[in-house]
Amino acid sequence: EDQVTQSPEALRLQEGESSSLNCSYTVSGLRGLFWYRQDPGKGPEFLFTLYSAGEEKEKERLKATLTKKESFLHITAPKPEDSATYLCAVQVRQGGFSSGSARQLTFGSGTQLTVLP
Amino acid sequence: ETGVTQTPRHLVMGMTNKKSLKCEQHLGHNAMYWYKQSAKKPLELMFVYNFKEQTENNSVPSRFSPECPNSSHLFLHLHTLQPEDSALYLCASSQDPTRRGSRTDTQYFGPGTRLTVL
């Protein structure tokens, strides 16, 4: 069974204090790993997709990395507006691109980040 | 309108009511999804539609009934719900990577409907 575990559950940082969020996964064959940001009462906002170990992607203060077992979301010099819940999800390889099962995202429980001014 | 829109944003209903949630995507995608997000739990996939055909139903109770009349619109019909069905219901869409070599299809989410069942 595919599993995604995010840690920590909650993280409080001072503005400017860099840190990392972890997403560990156990899947039969990774097709893609996704990071989303979710603000309270809103839908998840897409951040990154990573496909293979060693891949990195950056956007402003965020940098996502991927290994064969986990992904990290590094936050450099965070600001209060970075406060949100960060969700990790995996998509696994199935037979055929049009298969509904191929589209399933398995989500972690998220890390709630609070950045204090 | 851009992206994925959902209406209503908030809904309060009694256990005997019938209501519908609406989702519309303006991204030209051909796959749409319903997810349920309960407090302290990961997002749960409910239904997947690919080219208007339902391709996935993750053991969802029959009191939830999806409808996808075209690739831009998705509905979730609700009837005789239970209080434990109170949650944030999220719609998402993606573009099926129909060409060989396409890696995956990113799902884009709407703002959700906050449902409270009394």
Side-chain angles (χ1 to χ4, degrees), chain B residues 20-21 46 56 59 61-63 78 83 99 109 113 115-116:
Chain B
S20 296
L21 309 184
M46 300 175 72
E56 203 73 26
S59 303
S62 59
R63 57 186 182 269
L78 316 171
R99 296 182 180 179
F109 287 82
T113 295
L115 173 66
T116 303

Side-chain angles (χ1 to χ4, degrees), chain A residues 5 7 13 19 21 28 40-41 48 50 64 70-71 73 93 97 117:
Chain A
T5 304
S7 62
L13 300 173
S19 188
L21 312 182
S28 53
F48 304 109
L50 301 167
E70 59 192 349
S71 176
L73 185 65
R93 289 200 190 93
F97 285 113

Side-chain angles (χ1 to χ4, degrees), chain A residues 4 9 31-34 36 38-46 48-52 55 57 85 87 91 97-110 112, chain B residues 9 30-31 33 35 37 40-45 48-51 55-56 58 88 90 94-112 114:
Chain A
V4 180
E9 289 187 14
R31 192 171 170 212
L33 185 141
F34 301 80
Y36 288 87
Q38 186 174 24
D39 293 299
K42 297 187 177 181
E45 174 190 345
F46 171 70
F48 304 109
T49 307
L50 301 167
Y51 297 102
S52 55
E55 188 173 359
K57 290 200 175 167
T85 296
L87 302 173
Q91 194 173 55
F97 285 113
S98 297
S99 165
S101 296
R103 295 213 162 73
Q104 287 203 39
L105 291 181
T106 301
F107 279 85
S109 297
Q112 185 175 5
Chain B
R9 293 296 310 279
N30 53 21
Y33 314 76
Y35 284 87
Q37 188 174 35
K40 306 294 184 183
K41 292 178 67 176
L43 270 76
E44 301 171 61
L45 179 66
V48 180
Y49 274 85
N50 178 19
F51 294 102
T55 56
E56 203 73 26
N58 277 359
L88 182 68
L90 292 161
S94 71
Q95 179 62 35
D96 178 21
T98 53
R99 296 182 180 179
R100 281 188 178 275
S102 296
R103 304 183 80 168
T104 187
D105 47 341
T106 298
Q107 295 181 21
Y108 295 89
F109 287 82
R114 173 66 65 185

Side-chain angles (χ1 to χ4, degrees), chain A:
Chain A
E1 183 181 337
D2 303 326
Q3 288 191 337
V4 180
T5 304
Q6 290 189 247
S7 62
E9 289 187 14
L11 181 63
R12 292 167 69 91
L13 300 173
Q14 290 295 132
E15 184 172 0
E17 180 186 0
S18 301
S19 188
S20 296
L21 312 182
N22 177 264
C23 171
S24 62
Y25 61 91
T26 305
V27 298
S28 53
L30 184 69
R31 192 171 170 212
L33 185 141
F34 301 80
W35 281 100
Y36 288 87
R37 167 195 170 127
Q38 186 174 24
D39 293 299
K42 297 187 177 181
E45 174 190 345
F46 171 70
L47 295 173
F48 304 109
T49 307
L50 301 167
Y51 297 102
S52 55
E55 188 173 359
E56 299 182 352
K57 290 200 175 167
E58 288 188 64
K59 179 181 179 181
E60 295 180 355
R61 295 177 292 281
L62 300 177
K63 178 180 178 181
T65 61
L66 181 65
T67 72
K68 290 186 177 180
K69 294 183 178 181
E70 59 192 349
S71 176
F72 292 94
L73 185 65
H74 307 279
I75 303 178
T76 302
K79 298 182 178 181
E81 53 262 42
D82 294 322
S83 297
T85 296
Y86 290 85
L87 302 173
C88 168
V90 297
Q91 194 173 55
V92 299
R93 289 200 190 93
Q94 299 281 352
F97 285 113
S98 297
S99 165
S101 296
R103 295 213 162 73
Q104 287 203 39
L105 291 181
T106 301
F107 279 85
S109 297
T111 293
Q112 185 175 5
L113 174 66
T114 303
V115 182
L116 304 171

Side-chain angles (χ1 to χ4, degrees), chain B residues 17-46:
Chain B
N17 292 157
K18 289 185 179 181
K19 297 287 184 182
S20 296
L21 309 184
K22 179 183 176 181
C23 174
E24 183 173 1
Q25 60 94 1
H26 309 268
L27 300 169
H29 291 164
N30 53 21
M32 298 187 76
Y33 314 76
W34 280 117
Y35 284 87
K36 176 183 179 182
Q37 188 174 35
S38 304
K40 306 294 184 183
K41 292 178 67 176
L43 270 76
E44 301 171 61
L45 179 66
M46 300 175 72

